[in-house]
Amino acid sequence: MASTPASWIELQASAFRHNVLALKKKAGSAKLMPIVKANAYGHGLSQVAVLAKKWPIWGLGVAHGSEALQLRKAGYRGRVLVLSAWDSKELLTLAKMGIEVVVNDFTTLNQVISFGRRAGSRLIRIHIKLDSGTSRLGFLPSDLRRVKKLLNDLPRTIIVESLWSHLSSSEDQASHVTEDQLVQFLTMTKALPPTRYRHIACTAALIRFPDTRLSLSRAGIGIYGIWPSPPTRQAAKGVTLKPVLRWYTTVRQVKNLPKGAYIGYSRTARLKRAGRIAILPIGYADGYDRRLSNRGQVWIAGHQYPVIGRVSMNLTMVDISGSRIAVGEPVELIGPHVTADRMATIIGTIPYEVLARLSPAIPRYTV
């Protein structure tokens, strides 16, 4: 790094590879599709695209067509599947770049059919999403007779690669919901023409429910080294995951303050005795959640220190009373000592949100 930015993210390439191989092994004969939506769960889509070229995977999954195009721009030439939404105006570009798309209702199915009839010899691969009980995107059981009729009359340039669905509760302690959804999904697939792949498993499912692995499994949060839930971790016999992301900043100012000094907006903190604070150049605009005000922890020079006062848009204060911390000292915001899981627990959310909300403007480096 030529100069020190306000904060930066480091990605551990060896941890990425470890996680991919661990989940690939757990998936058995099923192929593995890492999911890199939401800026690769906050890790950086372009950075992950570079690393993914060396992974033994089926391809990558994204949420939107724009993310798929960004992967191509970053130099990723493997298979890419758009899982949630694409615009009909970008369908030609997606097809030209070999990007595969979801079809989840009659609107998208008819758009693809119309494209196939006018696109000449341009091939496009589609994946039919079925709603097996999550009540989000996907065809319902009552739609299948009409879907089958349309699929049996597709233009030859349209290839149906898979039937797939999404589980609602594979991370939860109870197992009957996942088992029921799998039965529903398999029943629905029997009503449609066979495809090369069927997939329904996420990280939690491929670890906890072997029958969900089928021919292709999707792995999201797990490839970043984060457990989806405590029940998943408890069921992961022989599987270890290594967190990939570390987020750092530096101390920009140190202040000695007298007893009774108020800290930050709305005076939510007051020193009970004379002390020292460190001011960090990060805040909620960077993804450091405002709910960490007076609750968060950071790691500096081998010790943990509490956030004091309100987290503001671009600044956060830390109580470093009794220390010799100086300006320029590195600060771990997320890492081995301050985990995304712990941060999520403090603010009452899940690590997915903690990571996905990290600002794309933060520089990311692979180490």
Side-chain angles (χ1 to χ4, degrees):
M1 294 175 285
S3 61
T4 303
S7 73
W8 68 96
I9 287 170
E10 294 182 2
L11 305 177
Q12 315 298 308
S14 60
F16 255 133
R17 182 167 178 79
H18 168 88
N19 299 333
V20 169
L21 292 178
L23 292 172
K24 179 68 181 73
K25 182 177 180 181
K26 193 67 176 177
S29 61
K31 295 183 180 298
L32 191 72
M33 183 199 310
I35 306 303
V36 295
K37 63 183 179 179
N39 198 29
Y41 289 57
H43 290 63
L45 185 60
S46 298
Q47 289 81 3
V48 175
V50 172
L51 294 172
K53 296 176 187 179
K54 300 178 182 179
W55 296 343
I57 57 176
W58 176 89
L60 298 175
V62 296
H64 304 293
S66 57
E67 294 173 320
L69 296 176
Q70 188 179 342
L71 281 174
R72 288 290 187 250
K73 187 176 181 180
Y76 183 75
R77 296 291 173 257
R79 299 184 77 162
V80 178
L81 170 58
V82 179
L83 292 161
S84 294
W86 43 268
D87 191 295
S88 60
K89 295 177 181 178
E90 65 188 3
L91 197 53
L92 178 58
T93 301
L94 294 172
K96 284 181 177 179
M97 294 192 173
I99 293 165
E100 306 172 34
V101 298
V102 63
V103 167
N104 50 43
D105 59 13
F106 289 110
T107 297
T108 51
L109 180 52
N110 286 324
Q111 286 173 340
V112 166
I113 291 172
S114 177
F115 172 82
R117 286 174 177 163
R118 69 175 186 269
S121 59
R122 179 71 60 188
L123 287 174
I124 187 164
R125 299 178 187 275
I126 66 173
H127 297 247
I128 307 295
K129 185 168 188 183
L130 307 177
D131 185 351
S132 59
T134 303
S135 298
R136 300 200 313 182
L137 298 173
F139 291 102
L140 292 166
S142 57
D143 297 324
L144 297 186
R145 180 175 296 181
R146 183 179 166 196
V147 173
K148 181 178 181 180
K149 183 177 180 181
L150 290 169
L151 293 184
N152 283 334
D153 194 32
L154 287 177
R156 295 174 62 185
T157 52
I158 300 174
I159 300 173
V160 182
E161 280 290 298
S162 82
L163 303 173
W164 69 286
S165 191
H166 200 100
L167 295 166
S168 70
S169 308
S170 60
E171 301 174 1
D172 300 341
Q173 187 64 52
S175 61
H176 70 277
V177 175
T178 297
E179 293 164 354
D180 290 347
Q181 268 197 266
L182 177 61
V183 170
Q184 174 75 331
F185 172 61
L186 295 177
T187 300
M188 293 175 75
T189 65
K190 292 176 183 178
L192 297 174
T195 55
R196 184 177 182 184
Y197 298 105
R198 294 182 301 173
H199 51 107
I200 193 171
C202 56
T203 298
L206 76 87
I207 290 175
R208 299 184 64 210
F209 302 97
D211 289 345
T212 66
R213 295 168 190 162
L214 303 175
S215 52
L216 180 62
S217 293
R218 305 185 302 272
I221 198 76
I223 70 163
Y224 306 99
I226 305 296
W227 294 101
S229 65
T232 306
R233 187 167 194 163
Q234 292 162 9
K237 298 177 181 178
V239 178
T240 59
L241 297 177
K242 298 180 179 180
V244 169
L245 183 145
R246 299 180 184 183
W247 184 19
Y248 297 102
T249 186
T250 55
V251 174
R252 287 300 171 94
Q253 188 174 0
V254 172
K255 281 188 173 181
N256 295 306
L257 296 175
K259 176 183 177 180
Y262 290 98
I263 314 295
Y265 284 129
S266 299
R267 294 186 159 195
T268 61
R270 190 180 190 186
L271 292 182
K272 295 180 179 179
R273 60 184 63 84
R276 302 178 80 218
I277 65 168
I279 296 111
L280 312 181
I282 54 94
Y284 57 78
D286 305 288
Y288 197 77
D289 200 287
R290 193 168 180 265
R291 290 170 290 179
L292 292 166
S293 301
N294 293 307
R295 300 171 70 192
Q297 303 282 336
V298 301
W299 187 265
I300 311 174
H303 297 279
Q304 192 165 274
Y305 295 94
V307 171
I308 185 169
R310 282 270 175 85
V311 173
S312 30
M313 186 179 291
N314 304 105
L315 295 171
T316 297
M317 285 71 70
V318 176
D319 187 345
I320 57 168
S321 298
S323 77
R324 296 183 178 181
I325 291 168
V327 170
E329 195 80 50
V331 180
E332 177 189 310
L333 301 170
I334 296 178
H337 307 97
V338 185
T339 67
D341 279 299
R342 174 59 182 155
M343 188 178 288
T345 298
I346 291 172
I347 62 177
T349 187
I350 54 177
Y352 298 73
E353 181 183 357
V354 168
L355 296 171
R357 293 181 65 191
L358 294 177
S359 171
I362 301 171
R364 288 155 168 83
Y365 307 97
T366 302
V367 298

